[in-house]
Amino acid sequence: MLRDDSPEATVARLETACQEVFRALEKGGQTADHIHDIASWKPGADLHFYRHMTRRDAMEELKQLNPELEDDDDLGLAMSGLILHLPQDIIRVWHTADIKIPKPTTEAKLKFVSQIPERVIPLIGDDELNLGLDEIVTTPPRKNHVILQWTAEGSTIMRFDLVRPTGVKGGQVAVDWREHLLGRYTQVEDLQYRRRDDKTGTEETEAQ
């Protein structure tokens, strides 16, 4: 059996999970809006609150996916510690203000972003490798690691990308491929962020 880690195959495998994460993030932003309305607070003064409120609400919304939350995760701000373990892939949900993904600072997180570039990876099971040698022991293949990178302005999601990392280069995460998923779930357009992405996307590619 072969596992295809191309962007097309990965997005197809993860379509439902990605959509559920997006809807959970949206609901979290709406919850943050509601709390500010009740308290008559100014949202601009509570940017971190928005991210953490989104994280908290999303954890409740995503219970059916059995999310794992790492309290000591230092990859960034809200949602960086939310990890979804799926049959062939592991998704880390990560909020960034910029298209560049900063270098993780712990060994576990560095290991997560370090993998070979896209290829068709053979999945070898116990019944697929039998050369008559008892000493041969097959090991489970490593899952495909991807990042759901999102950016929000207040409660509005401005970026929602599925990214396959391949290590670290130039002080940031090197990207194998990036798929923009925002248009699949919303018609939101933002020219300011689009211009920034065009510029930084070039820088990101050059840094790899």
Side-chain angles (χ1 to χ4, degrees):
M1 183 170 63
L2 299 177
R3 184 183 76 212
D4 186 350
D5 289 339
S6 67
E8 297 81 9
T10 304
V11 170
R13 283 197 305 270
L14 301 180
E15 179 68 31
T16 299
C18 289
Q19 185 169 5
E20 290 186 21
V21 170
F22 182 82
R23 298 307 179 199
L25 297 177
E26 272 196 324
K27 187 175 184 300
Q30 292 166 3
T31 300
D33 274 340
H34 180 63
I35 291 174
H36 278 75
D37 287 343
I38 293 175
S40 297
W41 291 342
K42 293 182 178 180
D46 295 298
L47 298 181
H48 294 319
F49 173 84
Y50 261 83
R51 304 291 76 78
H52 287 287
M53 187 68 252
T54 300
R55 170 183 178 151
R56 182 66 185 88
D57 207 349
M59 285 294 296
E60 295 299 317
E61 292 295 310
L62 295 172
K63 281 184 176 179
Q64 73 279 7
L65 295 179
N66 297 316
E68 171 187 335
L69 182 63
E70 293 183 356
D71 293 333
D72 61 345
D73 195 318
D74 65 349
L75 282 178
L77 291 175
M79 300 299 293
S80 62
L82 181 59
I83 302 175
L84 304 176
H85 293 268
L86 300 175
Q88 297 184 41
D89 310 87
I90 300 178
I91 304 175
R92 181 182 293 275
V93 186
W94 193 343
H95 182 276
T96 68
D98 183 273
I99 196 171
K100 295 180 181 178
I101 304 178
K103 175 184 176 181
T105 57
T106 68
E107 183 177 350
K109 283 68 180 183
L110 284 169
K111 184 177 180 181
F112 179 87
V113 302
S114 300
Q115 60 186 350
I116 61 173
E118 173 206 332
R119 68 168 185 174
V120 176
I121 301 177
L123 300 183
I124 302 176
D126 292 337
D127 59 342
E128 297 179 69
L129 180 60
N130 185 356
L131 303 180
L133 301 176
D134 294 337
E135 64 271 20
I136 293 181
V137 178
T138 59
T139 58
R142 183 183 181 188
K143 291 186 177 183
N144 182 36
H145 292 180
V146 291
I147 298 169
L148 264 177
Q149 181 192 6
W150 64 290
T151 300
E153 189 173 284
S155 59
T156 303
I157 299 175
M158 314 304 297
R159 177 186 296 111
F160 192 70
D161 294 350
L162 187 66
V163 180
R164 188 175 195 273
T166 55
V168 175
K169 189 172 184 180
Q172 66 188 68
V173 172
V175 173
D176 188 10
W177 49 256
R178 171 185 296 274
E179 286 292 304
H180 304 289
L181 303 181
L182 186 62
R184 292 171 178 255
Y185 313 130
T186 179
Q187 298 300 314
V188 171
E189 296 287 343
D190 188 278
L191 296 179
Q192 177 182 354
Y193 274 81
R194 177 169 294 177
R195 286 195 296 270
R196 178 190 295 178
D197 285 0
D198 288 343
K199 180 180 179 182
T200 55
T202 301
E203 293 173 353
E204 181 184 51
T205 301
E206 292 174 350
Q208 294 181 33

